Amino acid sequence: MSADTDSSVPTEVHETLMQATYRALCAEGYADLTMQRIADEAGKSKSLLHYHYGTKRELLVSFLAYLLDRFEEKVEATEDDAPDERLRFLLDKMCPDEDDDGDYDRFGLALTELRTQAPHDEAYRTQVARNEVAIRERFADIIRDGIEDGTFRAVDPDRTASLLFAALDGARLQRVVASGVDSNDPSGPAHDTPADVRAALETFVVSDLLADDGDDASNRDEVTARPETDDTDATEGDE
Amino acid sequence: MSADTDSSVPTEVHETLMQATYRALCAEGYADLTMQRIADEAGKSKSLLHYHYGTKRELLVSFLAYLLDRFEEKVEATEDDAPDERLRFLLDKMCPDEDDDGDYDRFGLALTELRTQAPHDEAYRTQVARNEVAIRERFADIIRDGIEDGTFRAVDPDRTASLLFAALDGARLQRVVASGVDSNDPSGPAHDTPADVRAALETFVVSDLLADDGDDASNRDEVTARPETDDTDATEGDE
């Protein structure tokens, strides 16, 4: 749990309220979000929300910290995998699921609206910046690890990380703003942009990072003295 | 001039009002923008704005169409250049200028706020989608031309275009939302992200597109191997 989370909130209550905030943001969007709606989603009283988090703004800062915590947890769970698998896992995480029921768009829109408030509000800005920096750093860490163990060729890890994160972030932005979340036909002309960008990143970046690796996994073994990883499950559904 | 522009507006008046809208958006942001502020910027009466454009919303739809017109004009002016030059020109256009005085951030924020309104408003959405599709198409056209004349190796032009556009769009979003336009220290932790992403696109995409170039390299830089450093200055001056 992040340092920004109010430690007086019991973990279970925090989890319930953060998940309720997620659902309320998907349902209402950012502009129409109310503490009452979040309380209703959580089956708790509005006064409990105010008691634990203060204002709506403070609750949303906690929510951004919660998103980051969850992101970190998921990424940390893959830490023992090979760098190329970890990289693909992270890239896939930023794309819509096969069974996405519209939350990718609705939450993407609400989050973008919240992010555009950040330049005007220091608490938002600090947390938004923290989340962005952490995601970028995670990409860079994986690339650095991959260079070190010989999985990836030598590239600038920070620049490459910036490209990967920005490309999928921009793809989501473009899909979301050109779509009609409130209309009967929610999918717009950029509906396939995240999948297209993911595929292009595979072609131009991931393949390139792996270019000098060939198919010889024993190369990597020599360098790292690690047991050979099982490549059979490489996440390549999008080739 | 796009079909969406009210043909009853004299060209000069339209230009004056659109430039005033740009300045007003930079100064006020999207949420606080008023017709009075735009009128003041233009030195015209508010009633003239309403007479020519209708509501503020309709004026902003015209403004989006105006942005697209200007974009198309600038791109068309480079049509006789080599595909790699045209591609770099377009990529550079989406990055902050050396002499940027904050408009890249302020206008980027206002435009993002406007774009997040699009899913809720059909007129916005139609125009936002039109602008996005046009920019993506321009990238794809250049890549297609480059493949056809042998400048670029064969790639999927649409996917590659999606990557280029989304990466720089996402980079701007990330820089803008992590920056403090209203504060004393406007630059945030993602200040260099657009330049980093631009450099990474040069390394991973532009260089790769040029990689198999060898048949007809008489009047362009020979790229036989990946450059160690990024040569983003190879384009003509970006205004």
Side-chain angles (χ1 to χ4, degrees), chain B residues 1 4-19 21 35 38 42 44-66:
Chain B
M1 197 169 291
D4 286 289
T5 307
D6 181 349
S7 57
S8 73
V9 190
T11 307
E12 251 178 69
V13 176
H14 182 62
E15 184 66 32
T16 300
L17 292 173
M18 293 296 101
Q19 288 188 14
T21 303
M35 290 294 256
I38 299 170
K44 306 278 184 193
S45 73
K46 202 174 90 170
S47 59
L48 183 96
L49 264 70
H50 284 296
Y51 173 75
H52 281 313
Y53 297 96
T55 62
K56 183 175 84 172
R57 189 173 136 271
E58 289 167 316
L59 182 142
L60 286 173
V61 172
S62 290
F63 178 69
L64 289 170
Y66 167 83

Side-chain angles (χ1 to χ4, degrees), chain A residues 120 159 169 174 182 208, chain B residues 120 132 169 174 182 226 230:
Chain A
H120 307 300
R159 278 187 179 173
D169 203 10
Q174 293 180 352
D182 299 334
D208 183 83
Chain B
H120 306 300
E132 282 190 11
D169 203 11
Q174 293 179 352
D182 299 333
R226 277 191 191 85
D230 299 303

Side-chain angles (χ1 to χ4, degrees), chain A residues 109 112 115-116 118-120 125 132 136 159-160 163 165-167 169-170 173-174 176-177 179 182 199 201 204 208, chain B residues 112 115 118-120 125 132 136 159-160 163 165-167 169-170 174 176-177 179 182 199 201 204 208 226 230:
Chain A
L109 178 61
T112 306
R115 288 167 81 190
T116 61
H120 307 300
R125 185 164 71 253
E132 284 190 10
R136 206 175 287 119
R159 278 187 179 173
T160 308
L163 171 59
F165 180 28
D169 203 10
L173 171 72
Q174 293 180 352
V176 164
V177 299
S179 75
D182 299 334
L201 287 175
F204 286 103
D208 183 83
Chain B
T112 306
R115 288 167 80 190
H120 306 300
R125 185 164 72 252
E132 282 190 11
R136 205 174 287 120
R159 277 186 180 172
T160 309
L163 171 58
F165 179 29
D169 203 11
Q174 293 179 352
V176 164
V177 299
S179 74
D182 299 333
L201 287 175
F204 287 103
D208 183 81
R226 277 191 191 85
D230 299 303

Side-chain angles (χ1 to χ4, degrees), chain B residues 110-185:
Chain B
L111 198 56
T112 306
E113 289 176 295
L114 200 165
R115 288 167 80 190
T116 61
Q117 301 305 307
H120 306 300
D121 181 309
E122 199 179 334
Y124 276 166
R125 185 164 72 252
T126 304
Q127 189 63 50
V128 161
R130 194 172 290 161
N131 287 29
E132 282 190 11
V133 167
I135 296 170
R136 205 174 287 120
E137 261 312 298
R138 279 298 181 168
F139 272 116
D141 286 346
I142 293 171
I143 295 166
R144 235 172 254 121
D145 288 352
I147 293 169
E148 209 172 286
D149 83 353
T151 305
F152 297 146
R153 74 180 184 88
V155 296
D156 184 318
D158 296 310
R159 277 186 180 172
T160 309
S162 288
L163 171 58
L164 296 172
F165 179 29
L168 291 171
D169 203 11
R172 187 180 199 175
L173 172 71
Q174 293 179 352
R175 163 162 153 166
V176 164
V177 299
S179 74
V181 290
D182 299 333
S183 72
N184 290 331
D185 178 25

Side-chain angles (χ1 to χ4, degrees), chain A residues 82-84 145-153 209-213 220:
Chain A
D84 51 338
D145 288 350
I147 294 170
E148 209 172 285
D149 82 354
T151 306
F152 298 146
R153 73 179 186 90
L209 291 175
L210 292 165
D212 290 337
D213 187 41
R220 198 163 63 209

Side-chain angles (χ1 to χ4, degrees), chain B residues 69-87:
Chain B
D69 291 342
R70 275 194 38 174
F71 170 81
E72 297 280 17
E73 277 164 25
K74 283 181 188 165
V75 172
E76 274 160 26
T78 70
E79 243 168 19
D80 293 334
D81 296 338
D84 52 338
E85 283 174 40
R86 287 162 63 203
L87 186 61

